[in-house]
Amino acid sequence: MAARQTPDTLDMPVRLSTMEEVDRGLKPHQALAEAGRCIFCHDAPCVKGCPVGIDIPGFIRRISQRNMVGAARLIRQANPLGAVCARVCPSEAQCEKGCTSAGLSEPVAIACLQRYAMDQEMARGIRPVAAAEPTGRKVAVIGAGPAGLACSLALRSAGESVTVYDSSPQPGGVMRYGIPSYRLPREVLSREVDWILSAGVRFVPNTEIGRDVGMADLLREYDAVFIGAGLGAPAVPRIQGAGTAGVISAYAFLRAAGEPDGNAREQAMRAVIAQPLGRVVVLGGGNVAVDAACTALRLGAESVTIAYRRTRGEMPAWAEEIEFAEEEGVKLVFLLSPAEVLQADGKARGVRMTRMRLAEDDASGRPRPAPSGEPDETIGADTVVLAFGQAPNESILSSLPSLARSESGMIEIDVETGATSVAGVFAGGDAVNGGTTVVQAVSEGLRAAAGIRAYLDSVTPARD
Amino acid sequence: MSVDLSIKFAGIKFENPFTLAASPCTDNAEMVARAFDAGWAAAVLKTTSVEEEVVELVYPMMAGLDFEDKKVIGLQNIDLISERHIDQVEKDVRELKKAYPGKVVGASIMGQKKEHWQTLVRRLEAAGVDFIECSFSCPHGMPERGMGSTIGQDAELTERTARWVKEAATRVPVSIKVTPLVADLPHIACAVQKSGADAITAINTVKCLIGVDIDNFVPYPVVDGKSSYGGYSGAAIKPISLRCVAEIAKAVDMPISATGGITTWRDAVEFLLCGARNLQVCTAAMKHGFRIIEDLTDGLSVYLEDKGMSGVEELVGLALPNIVEHSHLSREYKPVSKINLETCVKCDVCYIACQDGGHQAITLDEKRLPHVDEEKCVGCAMCASVCPVFECIQMAPR
């Protein structure tokens, strides 16, 4: 069997001087060759590995028959954010993990093929969503991230009237304000998001529920509410000196870095960090830490180090993301837990780190880091990026006190319907699952849309 | 914009042109029901015969032709007509027409004499079949008994037998399935038309010997140490069936059901352009399953959308005026090979093809880049045919 095709990537060091997409995508002959590697097996395991259940052999067959538009439409049927997900899904751990072709050679490059189909479709314009008969029912969606957008489109294409509120000026949520553009170009995101909104979804920017509009008002005005608010609040670490100039949350850092053009980005960066990046230390071990590290390299950091309190094996970041960062020159140091940001003249100059060892497994099933008793270590740093994870946005969630939450603060739902403990209120995405993937958020948004429709049918039948 | 895939064939409306051909795919009602559920518009039930016809099959009966790493680009079978006689097939017809009134159920028949043909027709009509297909064309096994392609290779036999069938068929249209194994297919097509038959199905399989086990000196498929010539089908025979369909379409004014290697929606478009109004599929469905109907209908729909056409009907025969006698081709048209050196990967297979299979017009420079000597290039297009790079070599007017 032919070898797996790999797309070109931007060469080093050019790729570190730009926020442009690193992965250049498959060329036409590569896409056909790769599609030819799919054996179209029965009951394909790839489909089961996909949270939204895209008909993967189906779209690959369409590619192999050069029906790119048909391929893209098939993907879109299952995933309205197919172009985004083709770029940001951990496909090695999802669809490609079960690929039958691995039994012959290597898995089919499913995500690359999906991207190819979606790019072809985008080049000719995405077919507008067919208008449905209006039902006369109104749904409010909180958060224009992947869960909220997926939910909105599914509801809208069924004829419901949908209004999406987001605290940010632009729709996209984590896709726009979290994922760096070298992984997800903003024009790809915008086209897909615009396509969703153009179905007749009303977008209300700069409006935070609980602050600008009361939750009670929403519940009164709408027949149902979907909460897809994500995790907008950086987890607050207990580190001395965390308020020092030069210390910044990964969330704020990536958000500023995500501005699309150079000038706007510089301005946004100056607003969150008033000095050159210099030596950057990123504290944390997840994908956000890795994204922040690679972004810092592109924005002129002298050096970038990720410091994680466990070891590489326990890093929540995906292996391929970690390899990508190392390839770019990010240094990784392990078994170091931040104790204090060191400063001079009110500016960060380094981080004092406690040396750790791996102890017994904790609740997450990973070895717990415990102080090793060795002397502390100091890492020089002019910028300290805190990437300890995100928490739900309390101003939204606390505006609905009767909302059942888990111990970790996540919204509890019925896994069949996405319904919360409050009648008529549904939820999905990171604020439910604690933060996983864009495609998982999409699937939860779609599930809730079905749940909402069933709920509306039970309380407010659609107008005939 | 939605397009209309429905099309009339021999007076019957099909929801789309895609029909499962008489084959192992259609040998019982359960299989056909699943195919209907998957989206096939029609099926021709596997060729049946009167109860007294003895049908003894041999196994294995299939052998694929693999090319490089692709499996079954062509398929040989030494299958025969169905072991299920008319008594069972008429039940299948009743069952399917009851469960799927909107689908088209055809039945393929074969007989040794007039009485057989006419009995089969009457019983199938009584069972509610939508159309009847007559196999005058199976190239293996059946001809040894004077059936199959023995009939289709003789214009007189073809016309006479088709008349018997037409005499009996009072209600439903009759299509005659022809063989490509004749010197003059238009001549046979004219015989079919003279008989009064309603349509032509083209083509049946091509008589073949797919390969030989070179260790044991027995051709495939090996049946207890021996083998036999068989019928060749699948993507490999498409160019032959496409030629046959075009020839028939130009010779007679009859609806044509095309079959023989239709695998993708592109094939489908090509057959429609060459005059077919109905498309039968067998080998591709045997290999990939009934689910390929989705690729076929979706690809065809997107193609029609792209062309701004409202339905399949618009495509029928559009390529026919562009097929002319060789002597009518322009002798003034002098294309030349243009190589895009930006995308060239310097494999130089164009150079090899031009040196040893062309006119020595391509030379290599010191960087191994190919250059075309336009004086020497006759524009044969062998270089463009072998180039592995997408659209790197184009044949352009001088």
Side-chain angles (χ1 to χ4, degrees):
Chain A
M1 178 184 242
R4 176 177 161 119
Q5 300 287 314
T6 34
D8 285 348
T9 51
L10 276 186
D11 288 336
M12 211 74 85
V14 175
R15 94 184 199 201
L16 295 184
S17 65
T18 171
M19 290 294 277
E20 262 186 54
E21 187 166 28
V22 173
D23 185 328
R24 309 312 283 178
L26 294 175
K27 297 189 179 78
H29 68 277
Q30 288 183 299
L32 290 174
E34 192 59 25
R37 295 182 65 244
C38 176
I39 43 187
F40 310 120
C41 56
H42 174 66
D43 203 14
C46 52
V47 180
K48 296 196 182 75
C50 174
V52 291
I54 291 174
D55 177 0
I56 292 166
F59 91 71
I60 294 180
R61 270 206 310 277
R62 292 202 189 6
I63 291 176
S64 70
Q65 297 188 6
R66 305 182 194 205
N67 175 7
M68 304 307 169
V69 171
R73 287 180 187 167
L74 198 57
I75 294 162
R76 228 169 249 304
Q77 269 176 25
N79 187 346
L81 292 164
V84 168
C85 287
R87 289 168 163 84
V88 304
C89 267
S91 50
E92 292 84 350
Q94 297 181 332
C95 50
E96 292 172 22
K97 192 176 176 190
C99 177
T100 309
S101 293
L104 296 171
S105 63
E106 291 172 277
V108 173
I110 296 168
C112 293
L113 286 172
Q114 177 168 331
R115 169 171 165 185
Y116 184 79
M118 300 317 272
D119 286 358
Q120 295 284 308
E121 180 207 39
M122 239 175 233
R124 73 174 244 161
I126 313 173
R127 180 171 62 172
V129 178
E133 269 303 297
T135 60
R137 309 183 294 205
K138 292 159 64 184
V139 182
V141 170
I142 304 173
L149 288 171
C151 183
S152 298
L153 184 67
L155 290 171
R156 183 64 202 142
S157 33
E160 316 295 353
S161 158
V162 182
T163 305
V164 189
Y165 295 89
D166 198 285
S167 55
S168 295
Q170 299 278 329
V174 68
M175 300 180 287
R176 186 179 300 277
Y177 295 109
I179 299 173
S181 59
Y182 61 81
R183 284 177 58 204
L184 175 60
R186 292 305 179 256
E187 56 271 25
V188 172
L189 172 65
S190 293
R191 278 201 218 168
E192 211 150 58
V193 171
D194 290 349
W195 168 73
I196 291 173
L197 296 182
S198 71
V201 172
R202 194 164 77 98
F203 176 62
V204 183
N206 302 314
T207 305
E208 186 163 303
I209 303 307
R211 186 188 67 194
D212 306 313
V213 171
M215 183 71 87
D217 298 330
L218 278 197
L219 291 173
R220 206 169 30 247
E221 206 177 313
Y222 292 91
D223 300 308
V225 172
F226 174 75
I227 306 177
L231 303 174
V236 185
R238 279 178 238 109
I239 308 173
Q240 284 178 41
T244 311
V247 181
I248 180 173
S249 75
Y251 176 84
F253 179 74
L254 288 171
R255 190 179 170 103
E259 288 292 336
D261 81 87
N263 286 337
R265 190 182 310 134
E266 256 174 53
Q267 231 174 352
M269 286 301 291
R270 268 202 301 277
V272 292
I273 184 161
Q275 59 196 50
L277 292 173
R279 301 161 298 165
V280 176
V281 169
V282 181
L283 304 176
N287 285 316
V288 171
V290 175
D291 284 346
C294 295
T295 301
L297 280 178
R298 283 167 173 74
L299 298 183
E302 277 169 37
S303 66
V304 180
T305 304
I306 292 176
Y308 180 53
R309 58 195 183 135
R310 294 183 173 97
T311 70
R312 177 190 286 260
E314 291 79 44
M315 281 178 80
W318 303 329
E320 61 272 24
E321 295 296 313
I322 300 168
E323 281 160 28
F324 177 95
E326 285 191 302
E327 199 182 308
E328 296 197 336
V330 171
K331 195 178 158 202
L332 294 152
V333 293
F334 299 107
L335 293 171
L336 293 173
S337 178
E340 181 187 5
V341 175
L342 306 170
Q343 46 182 293
D345 309 326
K347 289 181 181 172
R349 282 294 171 260
V351 189
R352 180 167 62 77
M353 312 287 286
T354 307
R355 285 177 188 269
M356 311 300 277
R357 63 180 175 84
L358 292 182
E360 73 287 359
D361 288 1
D362 65 11
S364 73
R366 296 175 302 168
R368 184 176 64 84
S372 70
E374 294 162 277
D376 286 354
E377 182 169 329
T378 297
I379 305 178
D382 306 297
T383 301
V384 180
V385 180
L386 310 178
F388 299 114
Q390 314 275 120
N393 184 325
E394 285 306 324
S395 85
I396 297 173
L397 300 196
S398 60
S399 66
L400 194 59
S402 52
L403 190 67
R405 312 265 297 271
S406 71
E407 259 176 49
S408 55
M410 303 304 154
I411 304 170
E412 292 195 329
I413 53 149
D414 175 303
V415 293
E416 298 293 317
T417 62
T420 68
S421 58
V422 182
V425 178
F426 295 73
D430 283 358
V432 168
N433 62 40
T436 57
T437 58
V438 171
V439 68
Q440 180 61 29
V442 168
S443 86
E444 293 178 18
L446 295 175
R447 172 181 65 190
I452 289 169
R453 296 207 65 228
Y455 164 78
L456 291 177
D457 287 345
S458 69
V459 296
T460 335
R463 274 202 308 246
D464 287 328
Chain B
M1 180 176 50
S2 75
V3 294
D4 182 9
L5 294 188
S6 74
I7 186 165
K8 271 197 159 181
F9 170 72
I12 305 165
K13 187 172 174 173
F14 289 64
E15 67 184 75
N16 63 55
F18 298 108
T19 302
L20 278 177
S23 68
C25 293
T26 58
D27 204 15
N28 63 58
E30 183 273 336
M31 292 175 84
V32 174
R34 276 193 288 115
F36 285 165
D37 291 339
W40 293 85
V44 184
L45 302 180
K46 191 175 180 189
T47 307
T48 191
S49 54
V50 291
E51 286 87 342
E52 65 195 77
E53 189 73 50
V54 178
V55 182
E56 288 178 317
L57 304 181
V58 295
Y59 300 95
M61 56 169 63
M62 303 291 172
L65 180 73
D66 302 343
F67 185 72
E68 291 170 358
D69 69 343
K70 290 290 172 208
K71 299 287 287 181
V72 195
I73 63 155
L75 180 72
Q76 169 175 335
N77 80 84
I78 51 170
D79 192 9
L80 298 174
I81 60 174
S82 179
E83 290 173 296
R84 301 176 75 244
H85 291 111
I86 181 67
D87 55 335
Q88 282 165 291
V89 172
E90 60 192 359
K91 275 188 215 152
D92 283 355
V93 170
R94 284 202 177 87
E95 190 181 314
L96 287 165
K97 281 312 290 180
K98 188 174 173 206
Y100 298 91
K103 302 280 184 179
V104 179
V105 178
S108 174
I109 57 172
M110 207 188 266
Q112 296 214 31
K113 46 190 181 187
K114 180 177 179 182
E115 181 203 332
H116 290 178
W117 288 102
Q118 296 196 334
T119 303
L120 291 167
V121 171
R122 291 193 185 104
R123 290 175 67 174
L124 285 164
E125 274 205 342
V129 81
D130 292 307
F131 72 96
I132 286 168
E133 190 174 273
C134 304
S135 175
F136 290 6
S137 42
C138 175
H140 57 272
M142 305 318 289
E144 295 166 24
R145 307 186 210 171
M147 299 162 85
S149 60
T150 305
I151 303 171
Q153 285 172 326
D154 183 307
E156 233 173 275
L157 273 181
T158 296
E159 188 183 334
R160 189 171 68 207
T161 316
R163 275 187 201 281
W164 294 339
V165 176
K166 271 305 285 179
E167 262 174 41
T170 55
R171 188 179 64 78
V172 302
V174 170
S175 186
I176 304 300
K177 188 168 184 177
V178 298
T179 172
L181 303 167
V182 293
D184 186 353
L185 189 52
H187 179 61
I188 300 291
C190 290
V192 172
Q193 189 169 39
K194 270 195 265 170
S195 75
D198 305 277
I200 296 186
T201 302
I203 53 175
N204 209 314
T205 53
V206 183
K207 195 173 186 179
C208 73
L209 194 65
I210 201 151
V212 178
D213 176 340
I214 58 172
D215 294 319
N216 298 305
F217 320 137
V218 187
Y220 297 111
V222 180
V223 181
D224 196 19
K226 301 286 178 202
S227 192
S228 188
Y229 304 116
Y232 193 34
S233 66
I237 72 161
K238 186 203 89 175
I240 297 167
S241 48
L242 193 59
R243 180 266 299 173
C244 291
V245 167
E247 278 190 340
I248 296 168
K250 281 177 161 289
V252 294
D253 184 19
M254 293 179 77
I256 302 168
S257 178
T259 180
I262 298 174
T263 305
T264 71
W265 66 268
R266 289 176 167 265
D267 299 332
V269 171
E270 291 174 20
F271 278 94
L272 292 162
L273 291 173
C274 287
R277 302 188 64 82
N278 179 260
L279 305 167
Q280 297 191 25
V281 179
C282 161
T283 309
M286 288 179 70
K287 183 178 171 193
H288 289 306
F290 298 147
R291 59 186 175 163
I292 64 166
I293 186 63
E294 294 164 28
D295 303 324
L296 294 168
T297 51
D298 185 73
L300 185 55
S301 303
V302 171
Y303 170 82
L304 289 167
E305 257 179 60
D306 275 355
K307 291 284 167 209
M309 291 179 169
S310 60
V312 181
E313 288 274 0
E314 286 185 59
L315 291 173
V316 176
L318 291 183
L320 292 174
N322 300 325
I323 304 170
V324 297
E325 294 289 322
H326 190 279
S327 57
H328 292 168
L329 292 172
S330 166
R331 263 62 186 173
E332 275 69 58
Y333 183 67
K334 304 282 184 200
V336 67
S337 165
K338 298 278 185 195
I339 304 176
N340 182 347
L341 296 181
E342 303 279 304
T343 56
C344 172
V345 295
K346 298 189 282 190
C347 66
D348 301 331
V349 297
C350 60
Y351 168 76
I352 296 167
C354 188
Q355 284 296 312
D356 297 358
H359 294 76
Q360 301 81 47
I362 296 178
T363 53
L364 300 181
D365 66 16
E366 65 284 0
K367 291 183 197 141
R368 291 175 58 230
L369 279 168
H371 298 277
V372 177
D373 178 344
E374 298 202 356
E375 290 300 306
K376 283 185 166 177
C377 175
V378 298
C380 74
M382 193 61 204
C383 54
S385 306
V386 297
C387 177
V389 182
F390 190 69
E391 291 179 350
C392 177
I393 302 184
Q394 310 262 7
M395 303 311 294
R398 275 172 210 267

